[in-house]
Amino acid sequence: MLGKNRHFCYNIFVKKDMKKNKKIYIFIGPPGAGKDTQANLLVKESDLVIISPGRIFRKAVANKTSLGEKVKKYTQKGELVPDKIVNKIIMKEIAKTDGDLILDGFPRDIDQALALDEFFKIYKADYTVRIIELKLNEEKIRQRIIGRRSCFCGRVFHVELNPPKEQGVCDRCGRQLTVRPDSHAEVLERRSRLYKERIKPVIDFYKDNDFYEINEVEADG
Ligand code: AMP
């Protein structure tokens, strides 16, 4: 969790003429619920910025940066990257973003939610926070994730639900599509179990706290 004197560390990223009362949408949902897709749709129609630890880590792993080397062993097994790595990166991104934003995949456990809450307490006047909880049943999750094929450029396809024009090849950039290492059946099972164990206290925390507004959305669209 953030200590009291830690906010100076994020303060240096906050510009003096930063927009006041920024809106933050926190997308919470099981793997495969389509957080990424929903976030992308919203971004198309607005100037929202997406902050997603999953994307940041995938890019770092692909570019073989020192962050990538540090987090690879967790992301490939579908395990959560330690809070002390994630919290710092995400809070820094929020502090320096001058506009409304979507948090896609953060917080994922109660320690992350508390660290974020501490951050909002410090900058309370500047943020309105809404939680969007995406719901989807397990069979649908399995179907969506097992058939998912991704491209390095960020495009995501599905072998049945959204196939590329040419099998295994990205429509946008022509690269070979791959199966994300964390999309294999046994990894998916671990990710789903982890999600359920860790997200319940997060949802309960937001429900008990008037600063946050929660909206439940059926993701079976
Ligand atoms: P995602 O794209 O959101 O499914 O995330 C892919 C992987 O990145 C996860 O399986 C985790 O290993 C890691 N990750 C993403 N978000 C977080 C987070 N909030 N805390 C820890 N690890 C995360």
Side-chain angles (χ1 to χ4, degrees):
M1 214 199 296
L2 281 174
K4 262 197 181 131
N5 53 1
R6 283 286 204 84
H7 75 279
F8 290 110
C9 144
Y10 302 113
N11 219 1
I12 59 168
F13 297 101
V14 181
K15 289 186 221 141
K16 285 214 176 63
D17 55 351
M18 184 85 100
K19 180 182 165 199
K20 293 286 172 200
N21 201 10
K22 288 185 277 186
K23 291 190 185 64
I24 300 200
Y25 299 93
I26 299 181
F27 277 43
I28 291 182
K35 296 189 293 297
D36 222 38
T37 312
Q38 298 296 338
N40 282 333
L41 284 175
L42 259 178
V43 164
K44 264 194 195 157
E45 295 163 10
S46 61
D47 342 315
L48 284 159
V49 172
I50 302 178
I51 298 178
S52 152
R55 285 188 198 188
I56 294 172
F57 295 148
R58 269 191 291 285
K59 202 164 158 197
V61 171
N63 290 333
K64 298 190 165 68
T65 65
S66 61
L67 173 67
E69 292 306 310
K70 245 192 266 174
V71 302
K72 198 163 71 180
K73 61 175 181 281
Y74 304 103
T75 56
Q76 292 191 339
K77 284 190 276 176
E79 286 169 10
L80 290 186
V81 172
D83 289 342
K84 74 172 195 280
I85 301 178
V86 190
N87 291 355
K88 211 156 126 193
I89 292 173
I90 299 304
M91 247 64 84
K92 209 160 104 176
E93 289 296 317
I94 298 174
K96 71 178 194 198
T97 301
D98 188 8
D100 299 340
L101 56 93
I102 295 175
L103 280 182
D104 169 8
F106 186 92
R108 260 183 152 109
D109 64 24
I110 190 65
D111 287 336
Q112 293 180 5
L114 293 174
L116 188 60
D117 188 60
E118 186 93 354
F119 178 89
F120 289 141
K121 276 188 194 137
I122 295 164
Y123 298 107
K124 199 159 44 201
D126 294 342
Y127 295 103
T128 303
V129 185
R130 182 176 285 190
I131 320 296
I132 313 286
E133 188 192 358
L134 298 174
K135 303 222 161 213
L136 190 68
N137 74 44
E138 298 206 0
E139 186 42 44
K140 285 271 178 204
I141 290 176
R142 231 186 117 71
Q143 186 197 16
R144 280 194 189 176
I145 294 207
I146 302 291
R148 189 156 70 181
R149 298 292 179 271
S150 309
C151 180
F152 183 78
C153 75
R155 273 299 275 275
V156 180
F157 299 85
H158 188 282
V159 286
E160 288 160 17
L161 307 173
N162 176 28
K165 290 193 190 95
E166 188 185 336
Q167 196 186 343
V169 178
C170 178
D171 289 354
R172 179 157 73 188
C173 71
R175 287 189 182 92
Q176 282 294 315
L177 300 176
T178 56
V179 179
R180 263 171 53 174
D182 60 0
S183 291
H184 296 290
E186 66 285 9
V187 180
L188 170 62
E189 219 167 278
R190 187 174 327 119
R191 288 173 70 203
S192 297
R193 200 180 55 241
L194 253 178
Y195 172 78
K196 276 190 233 147
E197 276 169 23
R198 303 213 170 151
I199 212 66
K200 186 171 181 314
V202 174
I203 303 280
D204 290 345
F205 172 76
Y206 286 136
K207 282 189 176 154
D208 288 344
N209 194 322
D210 285 347
F211 178 66
Y212 302 98
E213 186 183 320
I214 295 208
N215 295 78
E216 284 183 11
V217 176
E218 285 302 326
D220 191 8

